[in-house]
Amino acid sequence: MFSLNKLALAVGLGVFAAAAHADITVGVNVSATGPAASLGIPEKNTFALMPKTIAGQKVNYIVLDDASDTTTAVKNARRFVTEDKVDVMVGSTITPNSLAMVDVAAETGTPVVSMAASAAIVEPQDAKKRWAFKTPQNDAEMAKAIVEHMQGQKIKSVAFIGFADAYGEGWYQEFSKAAQAAGIKVLTNERYNRTDTSVTGQVLKMIAAKPDAVLVAGAGTPAALPQKTLKERGYRGKYYQTHGVANNDFLRVGGKDIEGTFLPAGPVLVSAQLPADNPVKASATEYVQKYEATYGKGSVSTFGAHAWDAGKLIEAAAPAALKKAQPGTPEFRAALRDALENVKNVAGAHGVFNMSPTDHVGLDNRSRVMVVIENGAWKLIK
Amino acid sequence: MDLQIALFLIQDGVVNGAIYALLGMALVLAFTVTRVIFIPQGEFVAWGALTLAGLQAGQLPGTVWLLAMGGSAVMLVELWTAWRRQDWRAIPRAAGWNLLYPALIFAAARFVDFQQMPLVAQILFALLVVVPIGPMVWRLAFQPVAESSVLVLLIVSVAVHVAMVGLGLLFFGAEGARTSPFTDGGIELGGIPVSAQTLWVVGSSIALILALTVLFGRTLYGKALRATAVNRVGARLMGIPTSLAGKLSFTLCALIGAFSGILIAPITTIYYDTGFLIGLKGFVAAIIAGLGSYPLAAAGAVLVGLLEAFSSFAASAYKEVIVFTLIIPVLIWRSLASRHVEEE
């Protein structure tokens, strides 16, 4: 019993000490291992580049890995609020884990900024989701960009292939909705797994449907396989990918088979090609330079930039919250939530954020550009 | 579906099936000799392919570090065993294999420019790096518990798999890689083009399956290996060194796994965790063969490959469900058809 008391005392003192310091504590949950690792690793790397002080207050980042696993994500989130007494959480990399974190956030009154794409994380805005924010663009926004480009190319029919998971399903829903509205027929709804070694069956079915274009809804290098197989089987139409492929590994694995592919992306992907008056250019360029200075040339990916934008939001919101309360208190957390909701004209790497009580993403169509792959590089379509 | 599509699907199914066959055979091999259901088999596929990709990209493959780490760990275990027994005779030999060999490999990988070498040299070197990890896994994880029940061995196997996937991510990163094909071009077969790599895959698989069948069915070594699984004590009394049998079978498993990876790396992108799913389908094939017969495992693998190809055409979202559901009727049939034997 004695030792237990001592332990309780030590924990109590520790908490007291943390509260007295009044540093801002940010609990970060990323999927640095497991299936989402290719997204989680650049996000994790990005937190090492974040500002160490905001408005004169020291900021502590506690970065944990949830291994792309929902249970671990919940465990980490609980640890953040009970042990670390965080003022705000960031995470997770993927939608299921983010949704689980939103539950913990609402229960404990802690704001959370997700780095996952699904609109379901912040919509519809209710008592629970009022604590949730997210930085990536909604898929609907990106799907619309693709459909608009397809209209410009006079494309009438599209064959769809996507991941056999929430990513593929979400894209199919959003894309077919947008395509239908524009009078474009979606001919197939094929699925494959990230680790599949062959998509011949799906591809044969897609080619048999004779589409004007194909859309591959996959993320990272696995999205190259359907396109390579389509090329191998002699498909000659137009190729579209989603913003999930926007990293340099996709270019490396895709090689010459992905030349001429169209995709929507966050402006950070082509930050150097953006016109000087673009409001996103400064922040995006700063991120790319900082990241490549630390992790090497060509190492930057757009996924890490979602983490960067989460940092930008907190940086913009914290000063207002600091005026109302001390970090480490429930009042501060509530004030920070209110401040995040009122963020106006904050330029991140992926767009300009204007939050409101009904919109916890806050991005507009400045958050997306159409890009084409040319000579093994991303080229902005003006 | 017209005839041409069906032919394409059959071709795809046979190629995938050939790889599942190799892995299914390796699983049968590991099980018949050591009673280990070798779940990490798939990791060797990924490691073999990624090592070759690393060499072709002019980078130092992560497996070189893994080999050094594994060697050092084995050396510590050997020293500990020698100290406990006060018998140091085996140490120089162990040091040669576990310290000197990884050091030589490291030096070669560091200073020889494999990018300029012919493909055969690259493949051979990749195998030299990856295959010795097989016996290291045996020495570290399985030899200390070699006498345990199949269930304990299975649990250890799961643990080794998780550890190896984690190491794979650490050393290779999350993104995948491809390698260049063995030979370009191809032939026309029944009106549809067949790429040369496809022929390599099927040809190598058939050759290895035949070799294994002969090794275990016809040679004294193969029979001795099989004997250790049936009764370890009895085999030892007959003069068969049982820990050597384990080491040998794991070396063969690693060789088959790594070579499978090298075979398919030009056809598809390989990730640090690709191996598991391929291994699992090999496992379905091995189960169809009752973890006992090589030709049956090969036949089962082709069945799995064909089923996968046709179901990915017909209902791609449910492909895995269809493939893995196959195991249920097979198990029911097996449990009805075979008489139950109590384990020792």
Side-chain angles (χ1 to χ4, degrees):
Chain A
M1 230 24 228
F2 177 71
S3 64
L4 200 65
N5 282 337
K6 230 160 88 179
L7 187 72
L9 187 70
V11 170
L13 277 178
V15 168
F16 180 73
H21 257 284
D23 294 345
I24 300 172
T25 314
V26 182
V28 181
N29 207 1
V30 293
S31 307
T33 55
S38 63
L39 284 65
I41 290 169
E43 289 174 0
K44 186 175 147 218
N45 289 344
T46 300
F47 283 95
L49 313 171
M50 295 271 187
K52 303 285 180 278
T53 57
I54 295 175
Q57 293 281 346
K58 196 167 171 294
V59 191
N60 296 322
Y61 299 95
I62 303 167
V63 183
L64 295 182
D65 173 23
D66 66 22
S68 312
D69 171 54
T70 311
T71 319
T72 317
V74 173
K75 206 174 74 194
N76 290 351
R78 296 251 171 236
R79 195 199 120 164
F80 285 146
V81 292
T82 55
E83 271 179 49
D84 304 321
K85 308 275 183 233
V86 300
D87 299 302
V88 55
M89 295 192 283
V90 178
S92 165
T93 307
I94 49 175
T95 300
N97 295 7
S98 296
L99 288 172
M101 284 178 75
V102 169
D103 288 339
V104 179
E107 194 187 308
T108 58
T110 316
V112 57
V113 184
S114 170
M115 301 176 286
S118 171
I121 297 165
V122 293
E123 286 171 14
Q125 272 295 317
D126 53 20
K128 200 170 87 178
K129 288 181 178 167
R130 63 190 289 271
W131 293 96
F133 300 84
K134 82 179 177 83
T135 54
Q137 305 85 340
N138 284 335
D139 286 345
E141 197 72 23
M142 292 301 201
K144 249 179 252 155
I146 292 185
V147 168
E148 280 165 20
H149 189 263
M150 283 178 172
Q151 280 179 308
Q153 300 277 322
K154 309 261 181 292
I155 285 164
K156 293 271 169 280
S157 59
V158 178
F160 177 93
I161 180 166
F163 278 177
D165 63 11
Y167 189 84
E169 180 61 26
W171 259 95
Y172 182 72
Q173 299 292 346
E174 296 300 343
F175 177 73
S176 51
K177 218 186 296 167
Q180 201 177 14
I184 295 172
K185 275 203 206 69
V186 183
L187 301 173
T188 65
N189 176 16
E190 294 299 308
R191 296 298 165 83
Y192 74 111
N193 291 303
R194 206 180 60 89
T195 48
D196 273 358
T197 49
S198 163
V199 289
T200 305
Q202 292 93 320
V203 159
L204 289 171
K205 201 163 172 183
M206 289 164 77
I207 293 176
K210 297 196 171 37
D212 293 341
V214 294
L215 170 61
V216 182
T221 41
L225 180 64
Q227 197 166 343
K228 276 185 162 312
T229 313
L230 279 159
K231 274 265 154 81
E232 203 179 291
R233 294 279 167 253
Y235 177 69
R236 299 244 176 275
K238 293 216 159 44
Y239 292 89
Y240 285 82
Q241 292 270 359
T242 68
H243 58 302
V245 302
N247 69 3
N248 286 339
D249 288 301
F250 179 71
L251 297 178
R252 169 177 60 84
V253 169
K256 62 181 184 336
D257 289 337
I258 55 168
E259 283 291 309
T261 304
F262 300 106
L263 64 140
V268 63
L269 183 68
V270 286
S271 61
Q273 297 169 43
L274 292 172
D277 59 345
N278 191 303
V280 181
K281 183 160 176 133
S283 178
T285 313
E286 181 195 355
Y287 172 66
V288 172
Q289 280 168 355
K290 276 196 172 173
Y291 195 96
E292 295 198 334
T294 313
Y295 301 105
K297 189 118 190 69
S299 59
V300 74
S301 90
T302 60
F303 305 114
H306 293 312
W308 177 256
D309 287 355
K312 282 274 169 195
L313 288 178
I314 294 167
E315 202 180 348
L322 280 166
K323 286 192 191 108
K324 288 192 196 156
Q326 276 290 306
T329 60
E331 292 75 30
F332 181 75
R333 297 202 294 269
L336 191 57
R337 190 212 77 86
D338 295 343
L340 280 168
E341 199 170 82
N342 287 312
V343 156
K344 289 281 177 280
N345 284 323
V346 169
H350 271 286
V352 180
F353 292 89
N354 281 296
M355 298 284 182
S356 75
T358 49
D359 182 4
H360 278 200
V361 186
L363 291 167
D364 48 35
N365 58 16
R366 286 175 290 182
S367 69
R368 56 179 167 83
V369 290
M370 279 305 283
V371 172
V372 63
I373 299 173
E374 244 180 51
N375 301 322
W378 315 102
K379 189 163 173 291
L380 178 68
I381 301 175
K382 299 237 164 68
Chain B
M1 190 189 310
D2 56 23
L3 182 68
Q4 200 186 19
I5 288 178
L7 284 174
F8 269 126
L9 289 177
I10 289 171
Q11 184 198 345
D12 185 52
V14 169
V15 173
N16 282 326
I19 292 295
Y20 301 153
L22 282 180
L23 294 186
M25 311 248 312
L27 287 164
V28 172
L29 165 69
F31 187 77
T32 48
V33 177
T34 63
R35 296 172 308 134
V36 174
I37 293 168
F38 194 43
I39 296 169
Q41 178 64 44
E43 266 60 71
F44 289 105
V45 177
W47 290 11
L50 291 171
T51 305
L52 183 63
L55 291 175
Q56 290 188 348
Q59 296 157 343
L60 190 68
T63 28
V64 174
W65 291 106
L66 285 164
L67 184 69
M69 276 170 50
S72 314
V74 171
M75 200 57 217
L76 286 178
V77 172
E78 295 289 3
L79 282 173
W80 168 249
T81 325
W83 183 77
R84 274 209 322 198
R85 291 188 188 147
Q86 289 299 317
D87 174 6
W88 304 89
R89 274 173 300 176
I91 291 301
R93 196 182 150 82
W97 272 113
N98 296 307
L99 297 178
L100 188 63
Y101 180 78
L104 286 176
I105 290 286
F106 189 91
R110 182 79 183 69
F111 296 111
V112 179
D113 185 10
F114 281 97
Q115 237 178 328
Q116 308 303 328
M117 293 263 184
L119 186 69
V120 184
Q122 292 173 347
I123 291 174
L124 273 179
F125 187 72
L127 291 176
L128 283 178
V129 176
V130 178
V131 173
I133 298 175
M136 286 175 183
V137 168
W138 163 258
R139 181 66 189 91
L140 290 174
F142 293 101
Q143 192 176 325
V145 291
E147 313 284 335
S148 311
S149 67
V150 170
L151 182 63
V152 170
L153 291 172
L154 175 65
I155 293 167
V156 174
S157 193
V158 172
V160 172
H161 159 69
V162 174
M164 283 176 72
V165 171
L167 287 171
L169 175 62
L170 185 66
F171 283 103
F172 295 109
E175 293 295 3
R178 271 171 188 258
T179 61
S180 44
F182 290 10
T183 39
D184 284 318
I187 56 162
E188 188 120 328
L189 204 69
I192 60 166
V194 178
S195 77
Q197 191 64 30
T198 310
L199 298 175
W200 272 106
V201 172
V202 177
S204 314
S205 299
I206 293 174
L208 266 169
I209 290 165
L210 287 177
L212 281 176
T213 315
V214 170
L215 174 70
F216 282 89
R218 305 256 179 244
T219 68
L220 191 63
Y221 276 106
K223 285 176 180 167
L225 284 181
R226 269 166 59 200
T228 57
V230 179
N231 189 333
R232 292 180 69 83
V233 180
R236 209 179 301 152
L237 289 175
M238 290 293 128
I240 300 167
T242 49
S243 74
L244 183 71
K247 215 177 263 181
L248 202 59
S249 67
F250 271 56
T251 311
L252 275 173
C253 283
L255 175 68
I256 295 171
F259 190 64
S260 312
I262 287 168
L263 277 176
I264 53 169
I267 307 178
T268 184
T269 322
I270 303 284
Y271 304 87
Y272 75 101
D273 60 348
T274 299
F276 180 64
L277 212 57
I278 305 179
L280 212 56
K281 282 167 191 158
F283 184 66
V284 174
I287 287 292
I288 292 174
L291 281 173
S293 151
Y294 293 99
L296 259 185
V302 175
L303 177 69
V304 170
L306 288 173
L307 190 68
E308 191 182 37
F310 279 92
S311 56
S312 71
F313 182 85
S316 60
Y318 303 102
K319 185 191 74 177
E320 308 292 7
V321 182
I322 295 169
V323 169
F324 288 114
T325 307
L326 176 71
I327 211 168
I328 295 174
V330 170
L331 284 178
I332 291 175
W333 168 68
R334 283 233 157 244
S335 70
L336 291 176
S338 70
R339 67 196 166 82
H340 189 65
V341 186
E342 284 293 334
E343 200 187 318
E344 294 182 39

